[in-house]
Amino acid sequence: MTGDLILQTKNLGKQYKRRWAVHHLDLEVHRGDVFGFLGPNGAGKSTTIRMLLSLIRPTEGEVFLFNYSLAREREKALRSIGGIVEKPDFYLYLSAFRNLEIVGSLNGGAEKKRIEEVLELVGLSARARDKVKTYSHGMKQRLGIAQSLLSDPEFVILDEPTSGLDPQGMKEIRDLIRHLASDRQKTVMLSSHLLNEVEMVATRMAVINRGELVTQGDVGALLEKGEKVVTFRGQPAEKLLSILSSRIGAEKVTLKGDDLLVSMPFEDIPAITRILVAEGIDIQAIIPRRSLEEYFLSITESDSK
Ligand SMILES: Nc1ncnc2c1ncn2[C@@H]1O[C@H](COP(=O)(O)OP(=O)(O)OP(=O)(O)O)[C@@H](O)[C@H]1O
Ligand SMILES: [Mg+2]
């Protein structure tokens, strides 16, 4: 199994002043994974990725890439890694092509052919000679991905590659990531603060909150495991509460603002809906969620306040 491990972090931590931005983090990324690194704003995603790319030094713990210790065998560990953290910086008055030439020259030079290949791969060929300042946000994101692919790394780490994009732009990046994983045999790690985005593209994922690992594993298995929670919203609210409590069990019902959250199997939704309608409840919403979704929503909401 260990030969298959592309990334392993052991008790990884980064402290700023007295706060731990990342703490006790154990991650495992295997060859062929599209690994989603999910967490709300400020969770520690970029800090972790900076440590993986050796842009900052961990306060404690260790990073292993391709079984090489990043602290002791830095060059070997980083040999087949490409990545971008947050918004990549470009020379706005130069073309995409020229920007990649400069990035390449910092790493021993990139052939013209390779630059053209990566620009083609991310769909920027037609605009390759235009100044980056004329690019849309989505085009700049794609140029960042092109930059991370320049040395043809086996492991690509992308920090929020879809942030700030519209749904079409997000889909294009997802398609590109799938293409990299399935047709180009890359292992990809991408961070995001959106569960559904990770769910759409990732095979495995880790969730972090306030710098600490919440869970990690197979995406499908994590989403299916645990309870199913259904949110009910309707009027009159007291009557809705009393029907749900008596039919499903008071211990299964919790109040959240105007909503009632009920732990119940999704298969029971049609039957309970018929009862509510027959009892004269005006139903405004019935929202089924898996527990990880519910959990993730709750940490995202509490952190944005
Ligand atoms: N250079 C720094 N000095 C002090 N604190 C920092 C520094 N960089 C990050 N932090 C803190 O570390 C925590 C994690 O930040 P980080 O940028 O890693 O989160 P993130 O998950 O990438 O968030 P976002 O989704 O907003 O990009 C935050 O509390 C942040 O304020
Ligand atoms: Mg970040």
Side-chain angles (χ1 to χ4, degrees):
M1 203 61 179
T2 49
D4 186 37
L5 266 183
I6 297 258
L7 166 71
Q8 187 173 31
T9 71
K10 289 187 185 169
N11 194 38
L12 188 65
K14 180 72 189 177
Q15 192 176 30
Y16 287 114
K17 302 261 168 66
R18 280 166 52 204
R19 279 175 49 117
W20 288 92
V22 173
H23 211 189
H24 301 316
L25 188 64
D26 296 325
L27 293 179
E28 285 191 358
V29 177
H30 297 263
R31 180 165 282 116
D33 283 346
V34 173
F35 188 89
F37 190 38
L38 181 67
N41 292 142
K45 304 180 294 295
S46 299
T47 303
T48 302
I49 291 176
R50 283 199 177 88
M51 290 192 276
L52 303 183
L53 295 173
S54 192
L55 301 172
I56 57 172
R57 203 185 291 271
T59 311
E60 66 174 28
E62 277 199 275
V63 175
F64 295 88
L65 289 158
F66 299 94
N67 286 321
Y68 292 114
S69 155
L70 185 55
R72 293 187 298 279
E73 299 163 289
R74 186 172 183 278
E75 228 166 86
K76 283 181 181 158
L78 291 175
R79 200 157 50 193
S80 207
I81 312 287
I84 45 166
V85 194
E86 291 183 336
K87 272 203 318 228
D89 279 331
F90 296 107
Y91 297 104
L92 296 177
Y93 285 88
L94 300 177
S95 69
F97 190 91
R98 184 73 191 115
N99 268 282
L100 293 184
E101 255 183 350
I102 292 169
V103 172
S105 71
L106 298 174
N107 301 302
E111 285 182 21
K112 190 165 178 274
K113 187 163 152 280
R114 178 63 194 159
I115 297 177
E116 272 157 9
E117 266 169 23
V118 291
L119 287 168
E120 175 75 39
L121 192 56
V122 302
L124 283 179
S125 292
R127 300 286 304 272
R129 308 285 165 176
D130 294 353
K131 286 180 181 151
V132 172
K133 98 181 159 72
T134 68
Y135 280 21
S136 70
H137 178 60
M139 292 167 73
K140 284 184 196 150
Q141 294 287 93
R142 281 186 276 151
L143 181 54
I145 298 176
Q147 175 182 325
S148 72
L149 294 171
L150 200 54
S151 62
D152 199 18
E154 186 182 337
F155 183 31
V156 184
I157 304 177
L158 305 172
D159 189 19
E160 305 237 20
T162 59
S163 90
L165 300 184
D166 62 18
Q168 178 57 29
M170 290 170 94
K171 180 175 180 307
E172 285 172 14
I173 302 279
R174 279 200 302 275
D175 289 345
L176 174 60
I177 290 169
R178 285 194 197 102
H179 171 71
L180 290 174
S182 55
D183 305 326
R184 308 260 168 166
Q185 277 82 47
K186 308 279 185 211
T187 300
V188 182
M189 173 172 176
L190 75 151
S191 70
S192 174
H193 58 273
L194 301 172
L195 175 60
N196 70 343
E197 191 192 340
V198 165
E199 187 181 355
M200 276 189 276
V201 73
T203 52
R204 292 185 70 248
M205 71 172 173
V207 179
I208 62 163
N209 186 35
R210 298 177 196 276
E212 301 201 17
L213 186 70
V214 175
T215 183
Q216 108 179 283
D218 177 83
V219 171
L222 285 177
L223 284 168
E224 284 318 310
K225 116 177 165 194
E227 290 184 326
K228 308 282 188 288
V229 181
V230 184
T231 298
F232 288 88
R233 193 178 307 152
Q235 295 296 332
E238 298 80 34
K239 191 169 171 190
L240 176 62
L241 173 63
S242 109
I243 298 169
L244 290 173
S245 302
S246 67
R247 296 282 175 159
I248 295 172
E251 75 287 353
K252 302 253 164 88
V253 183
T254 43
L255 265 164
K256 185 183 166 194
D258 295 335
D259 294 342
L260 296 172
L261 270 50
V262 184
S263 299
M264 60 183 276
F266 292 168
E267 302 84 79
D268 295 350
I269 293 175
I272 195 78
T273 307
R274 280 194 295 274
I275 293 169
L276 295 174
V277 171
E279 293 276 355
I281 301 284
D282 277 337
I283 299 173
Q284 288 149 336
I286 297 179
I287 311 164
R289 283 199 195 98
R290 294 153 300 182
S291 60
L292 187 64
E293 262 177 296
E294 190 57 52
Y295 167 79
F296 197 70
L297 209 64
S298 71
I299 59 176
T300 316
E301 281 170 357
S302 66
D303 278 35
S304 60
K305 272 175 198 152

